[in-house]
Amino acid sequence: MLVTTKYLNSDLLMAPTKIVCVLRNYLEHAKELNSPVPEKVKFFLKPPSSLLANEGTVIIPDSVGSLHHEVELAVLIGKRGRFIPEDEVKDHVLAYTIMLDMTARDLQSNAKKAGLPWTEAKGYDTFAPFGPRAYPPGEFDWHDKRIWLDVNGERRQEGNTDEMLFSVERIISEVSEVMTIEPGDIFCTGTPPGVGAVRSGDKITAGIDGMEPLTVTVQ
Ligand code: MG
């Protein structure tokens, strides 16, 4: 099991089979990367081996020249499903938490130009810090929440979950048309504007209204 009670509260804990990450779900972030906004939910997978607990250390690999932070609202799945209608997604959501979709931006840019997958750019160990607590739907409503990220105490990213182009319900419903959603799976719902590079020694703190913030250091 990748996740223990030391890092995430309660009994909401299961090892994910996959981490599903939505791309360009905030208009202002798509603009800052000069990327077109998709008409349907577009996504990629991060491996569960990229997970990192709160207060952990994000490692910048030697092969990466520019490691970017992306703060995202994460949704933990509690019940298996396929072809889930939007109005039934709530039956499959176990809890919400914070995740950082750490991205090797230089590798991603090269991959985009070459028409290659983003797996390396998104998939190194420690590239998915998350937590520190999981909030069941009864304790957390994902709408209209401020989402932010600081580096060394300086605000870098800020947005509101209501700015998401695709809702939590639409994301999970559309992805379930492609693949079976399993208990423990994690959905990352895209990042607000302000992404940028981190350096060795930086301290990242990320938060969403109503949640205890997530903190990691960079090495
Ligand atoms: Mg992302």
Side-chain angles (χ1 to χ4, degrees), residues 60-115:
I60 305 179
D62 291 341
S63 48
V64 170
S66 180
L67 179 61
H68 275 206
H69 52 74
E70 296 188 1
V71 59
E72 313 206 0
L73 168 69
V75 186
L76 310 183
I77 298 298
K79 182 183 159 194
R80 169 181 274 209
R82 183 91 202 276
F83 300 109
I84 306 168
E86 281 187 46
D87 62 358
E88 291 179 18
V89 162
K90 60 182 183 311
D91 301 332
H92 297 261
V93 172
L94 181 69
Y96 298 91
T97 190
I98 303 162
M99 182 168 282
L100 303 183
D101 171 21
M102 300 303 295
T103 303
R105 196 68 74 198
D106 54 337
L107 300 189
Q108 185 196 32
S109 298
N110 293 342
K112 278 183 186 174
K113 282 181 207 144

Side-chain angles (χ1 to χ4, degrees), residues 21-24 29 44 46 70-72 100-103 105 122 188-191:
C21 297
V22 176
L23 51 100
R24 298 170 206 156
H29 170 62
F44 57 89
K46 283 168 100 87
E70 296 188 1
V71 59
E72 313 206 0
L100 303 183
D101 171 21
M102 300 303 295
T103 303
R105 196 68 74 198
K122 297 283 192 177
C188 294
T189 57
T191 197

